[in-house]
């Protein structure tokens, strides 16, 4: 069972043996997908919910004129297609950016487990709050940051998220996103994206070539972005409200 989700949840509540057993009991249906597999098409019917163990997925919306906006990127420890618990059809496309290994849950089974177990409900509430923070910060970038600041900020965000996922060396990372993908995340043209990356490279802040990101000066990168990782690592913040249930009913 993936430890990434439990590591992300540490600080929100105590990860004891009972919590680990709960998730181990749930994470039994291992499902693998090849890169390029569309999990849910835009306008398509939702199926199951997935917890990513390895690999990356992207969620995007394509407009009538053919332009695409990548809404978010899912990495190990993230849930995908959570809206299957609430809706039948998707407004977005969910596609595997790489080969992906997941734990699959039917929406009915996961819904029943949520109804029976307070810890699981709290964990998924945290997951939803975490994704909301990422999306809110992306809105700020799209509305108020320059292309260079947006680029620096989204890279800082990815680096910080990968640290939480357990990547130890974040100075050199394999990022399975092309410049086109980054442009679709940031809402700029591919030409502008290329110029922005080249400017950061000239200033010896980072290089991004052949899907390999090398962060040469993280302090300058974060200063360029005005980056504060509190919205990502808010289980480590001093103002967090730790959640400690008095009693939990085990999911059957």
């Amino acid at each position: 069972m993936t430890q990434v989700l439990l590591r992300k949840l540490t600080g929100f509540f105590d990860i004891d043996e009972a919590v680990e057993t709960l998730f181990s009991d749930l994470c039994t249906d291992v499902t693998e997908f090849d890169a390029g597999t569309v999990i849910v098409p835009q306008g398509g019917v939702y199926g199951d919910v997935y917890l990513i163990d390895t690999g990356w997925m992207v969620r995007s919306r394509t407009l009538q004129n053919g332009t695409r906006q990548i809404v978010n990127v899912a990495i190990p420890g993230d849930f995908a297609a959570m809206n299957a618990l609430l809706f039948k059809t998707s407004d977005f496309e969910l596609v595997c950016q790489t080969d992906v290994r997941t734990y699959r849950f039917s929406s009915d089974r996961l819904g029943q487990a949520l109804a029976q177990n307070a810890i699981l409900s709290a964990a998924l509430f945290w997951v939803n709050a975490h994704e909301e923070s990422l999306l809110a910060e992306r809105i700020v970038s799209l509305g108020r940051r320059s292309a260079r600041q947006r680029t620096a900020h989204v890279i800082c965000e990815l680096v910080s998220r990968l640290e939480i996922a357990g990547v130890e060396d974040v100075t050199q990372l394999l990022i399975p996103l092309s410049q086109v993908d980054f442009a679709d995340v940031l809402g700029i043209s591919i030409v502008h994206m290329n110029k922005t990356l080249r400017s950061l490279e000239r200033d010896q802040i980072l290089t991004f070539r052949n899907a390999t990101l090398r962060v040469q000066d993280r302090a300058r990168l974060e200063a360029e972005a005005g980056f504060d990782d509190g919205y990502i690592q808010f289980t480590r913040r001093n103002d967090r409200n730790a959640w400690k249930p008095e009693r939990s009913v085990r999911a059957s």
Side-chain angles (χ1 to χ4, degrees):
M1 193 275 293
T2 179
Q3 295 296 309
V4 180
L5 178 62
L6 296 180
R7 185 159 49 244
K8 286 168 60 176
L9 293 171
T10 299
F12 182 65
F13 48 62
D14 293 333
I15 303 299
D16 57 16
E17 184 177 348
V19 175
E20 291 192 13
T21 299
L22 166 66
F23 281 97
S24 294
D25 289 346
L26 285 172
C27 296
T28 57
D29 186 359
V30 176
T31 306
E32 298 182 350
F33 300 99
D34 294 332
T37 301
V38 177
I39 304 298
V40 185
Q42 183 172 316
V45 177
Y46 277 118
D48 300 315
V49 179
Y50 301 91
L51 171 61
I52 300 175
D53 185 45
T54 62
W56 292 41
M57 294 185 187
V58 297
R59 185 162 65 117
S60 65
R61 177 81 174 270
T62 300
L63 303 182
Q64 291 183 349
N65 62 6
T67 58
R68 179 182 68 154
Q69 178 69 48
I70 293 179
V71 178
N72 60 347
V73 177
I75 64 174
D78 291 342
F79 280 91
M82 280 286 292
N83 281 354
L85 293 170
L86 301 172
F87 304 108
K88 292 185 177 180
T89 58
S90 174
D91 296 322
F92 300 89
E93 178 183 77
L94 180 65
V95 62
C96 296
Q97 190 74 4
T98 66
D99 292 344
V100 176
R101 182 178 188 271
T102 71
Y103 298 101
R104 180 172 63 180
F105 316 93
S106 72
S107 56
D108 289 342
R109 182 191 178 208
L110 187 56
Q112 291 171 0
L114 287 170
Q116 296 171 4
N117 195 286
I119 289 179
L120 182 61
S121 296
L124 295 193
F125 182 84
W126 184 96
V127 167
N128 182 70
H130 188 256
E131 183 168 335
E132 181 184 359
S133 291
L134 296 178
L135 294 176
E137 195 66 29
R138 188 63 40 76
I139 291 172
V140 173
S141 281
L142 293 174
R144 293 300 178 185
R145 292 187 176 109
S146 68
R148 182 173 162 115
Q149 289 171 330
R150 291 182 206 179
T151 302
H153 198 278
V154 77
I155 290 174
C156 287
E157 180 179 282
L158 284 172
V159 168
S160 185
R161 290 176 66 191
L162 289 168
E163 279 185 319
I164 296 174
V167 176
E168 295 181 358
D169 183 8
V170 293
T171 61
Q172 180 169 306
L173 295 165
L174 182 64
I175 303 291
L177 299 173
S178 66
Q179 288 193 24
V180 173
D181 294 327
F182 269 116
D184 288 347
V185 169
L186 301 175
I188 60 179
S189 70
I190 180 61
V191 173
H192 203 169
M193 186 74 239
N194 183 268
K195 290 181 178 178
T196 301
L197 287 171
R198 297 290 79 77
S199 71
L200 291 168
E201 183 175 340
R202 284 195 303 272
D203 291 341
Q204 298 183 337
I205 296 175
L206 62 80
T207 62
F208 181 67
R209 295 180 182 275
N210 300 320
T212 299
L213 172 69
R214 292 184 175 88
V215 178
Q216 297 161 279
D217 193 329
R218 187 170 179 179
R220 288 181 63 195
L221 181 67
E222 292 182 349
E224 185 76 40
F227 183 71
D228 180 350
D229 69 356
Y231 75 101
I232 298 175
Q233 306 202 47
F234 53 78
T235 52
R236 303 179 188 180
R237 285 166 41 168
N238 293 328
D239 67 336
R240 71 185 185 275
N241 290 318
W243 189 84
K244 295 182 179 180
E246 295 181 0
R247 182 175 63 90
S248 175
V249 179
R250 283 282 307 279
S252 59

